[in-house]
Amino acid sequence: GVQTCALPIYLQRDLIRRNVRVPTIFITGRAEDSIPPGLLNQGAVACLFKPFSERELRAALELALQTKFDTYV
């Protein structure tokens, strides 16, 4: 998965609250089982854990580029 911030769920919720609809990939070094489902349920397209492979990063980027949202800010 992908994720990069201390409090990713709060960041994702803030983006939703502000109606910022962009494909989001989170990158983190913390492998907490509860983080990815929460982020993905909140609209993130991927959550990656360090270390991740180039293949995993490319797959996440391709998914983000294919994601369509109704509103972009």
Side-chain angles (χ1 to χ4, degrees):
V2 178
Q3 163 190 328
T4 289
C5 74
L7 302 170
I9 287 202
Y10 296 115
L11 173 61
Q12 189 67 26
R13 286 181 186 158
D14 190 52
L15 291 172
I16 291 168
R17 184 181 59 78
R18 294 172 186 234
N19 198 33
V20 175
R21 305 282 296 163
V22 296
T24 306
I25 299 171
F26 286 94
I27 300 172
T28 187
R30 296 173 34 202
E32 294 179 18
D33 292 338
S34 63
I35 290 177
L39 288 170
L40 298 175
N41 289 336
Q42 295 284 327
V45 297
C47 182
L48 298 174
F49 295 103
K50 297 177 190 175
F52 51 87
S53 69
E54 180 179 336
R55 181 182 52 84
E56 290 172 305
L57 178 58
R58 286 180 183 269
L61 291 170
E62 288 176 20
L63 182 60
L65 291 171
Q66 294 171 5
T67 302
K68 303 280 190 247
F69 288 107
D70 293 333
T71 306
Y72 284 100
V73 176

